Amino acid sequence: MARTPQIVATQFIILSLLSSFALILVQGDDQDFVRALDRKLLGLEKEKFSHFKMYWHDIVGGPNPSSVPVVNPPTNSSTAFGLITMIDNPLTEGPELTSKLLGKSQGFYSSASQKELGLLMAMNFHFIQGKYNGSTITILGRNQVFNKVREMPVVGGSGLFRFARGYAEARTHTFTPATGDAPVEYNIYVLHY
């Protein structure tokens, strides 16, 4: 059966209308407040994988604590369940508090387990050195304090760590029972742009 020019033109018009209708349906999901972007326009072309090692100083004793309880637990809790502590902890290059200051860990931790000492950690590691000055890595996760190594997710960041993801490993370096102070080694493995 031979196709006449009129049949070909009609088929072309129908195909064009169907394509336009399909395009409208696909774009119909877009709302005025959201649109797809090309990641290259934001400078998100090459992802990096970095390892950061630093020491997080939980200072709960003395005249100038960096960790302050803001909600106390019920007196009958063996795990301090319900305790919420705000932090502005120094991040240093070495385990000594006098070593080079890399930034601050700001946020809170809370005792979130009734059966064991398990903390909910929500904190930003805010850097003040070198090219990372002003950038943050955000950690949100569970910290089982008595485990030798605790792993928590990196859920994002800002500055040079936009769209960051990865994980952090925490290891208690030392603990002073008399004061409750503890430097904790953090190794952070992060994918970022």
Side-chain angles (χ1 to χ4, degrees):
M1 175 172 151
R3 296 185 339 180
T4 65
Q6 288 177 320
I7 292 175
V8 171
T10 304
Q11 289 175 335
F12 178 76
I13 291 170
I14 291 172
L15 183 60
S16 295
L17 289 172
L18 287 174
S19 296
S20 297
F21 182 67
L23 188 58
I24 289 169
L25 285 178
V26 169
Q27 291 179 344
D29 288 342
D30 282 3
Q31 304 294 317
D32 292 337
F33 63 91
V34 65
R35 63 187 168 110
L37 292 175
D38 181 0
R39 65 176 57 212
K40 292 178 184 176
L41 295 174
L42 295 174
L44 304 176
E45 295 179 42
K46 186 176 179 190
E47 194 169 35
K48 301 169 195 76
F49 182 56
S50 301
H51 170 232
F52 295 87
K53 178 181 176 180
M54 66 204 69
Y55 289 84
W56 178 91
H57 295 269
D58 196 33
I59 305 167
V60 298
N64 193 21
S66 63
S67 297
V68 179
V70 293
V71 175
N72 288 318
T75 56
N76 63 349
S77 175
S78 63
T79 63
F81 178 68
L83 172 72
I84 300 175
T85 302
M86 294 303 298
I87 61 171
D88 188 19
N89 290 345
L91 297 170
T92 62
E93 195 169 63
E96 301 80 22
L97 189 55
T98 56
S99 64
K100 183 178 181 179
L101 184 66
L102 302 175
K104 293 287 196 111
S105 171
Q106 298 169 328
F108 71 90
Y109 58 80
S110 62
S111 182
S113 178
Q114 294 180 354
K115 303 285 185 194
E116 60 191 348
L117 190 52
L119 303 177
L120 165 64
M121 308 291 289
M123 55 190 171
N124 288 309
F125 279 31
H126 175 252
F127 297 100
I128 61 169
Q129 294 293 332
K131 73 177 188 177
Y132 299 108
N133 185 17
S135 296
T136 65
I137 292 175
T138 303
I139 296 171
L140 175 66
R142 186 168 192 260
N143 182 351
Q144 288 182 272
V145 178
F146 292 124
N147 287 0
K148 183 177 179 179
V149 179
R150 289 90 67 194
E151 185 176 308
M152 293 164 275
V154 169
V155 297
S158 66
L160 293 178
F161 299 110
R162 290 182 191 127
F163 298 104
R165 64 193 191 284
Y167 69 98
E169 290 181 347
R171 293 172 177 82
T172 302
H173 181 71
T174 56
F175 175 70
T176 307
T179 62
D181 296 351
V184 178
E185 178 185 315
Y186 269 80
N187 284 279
I188 302 173
Y189 301 89
V190 63
L191 288 160
H192 60 100
Y193 288 94

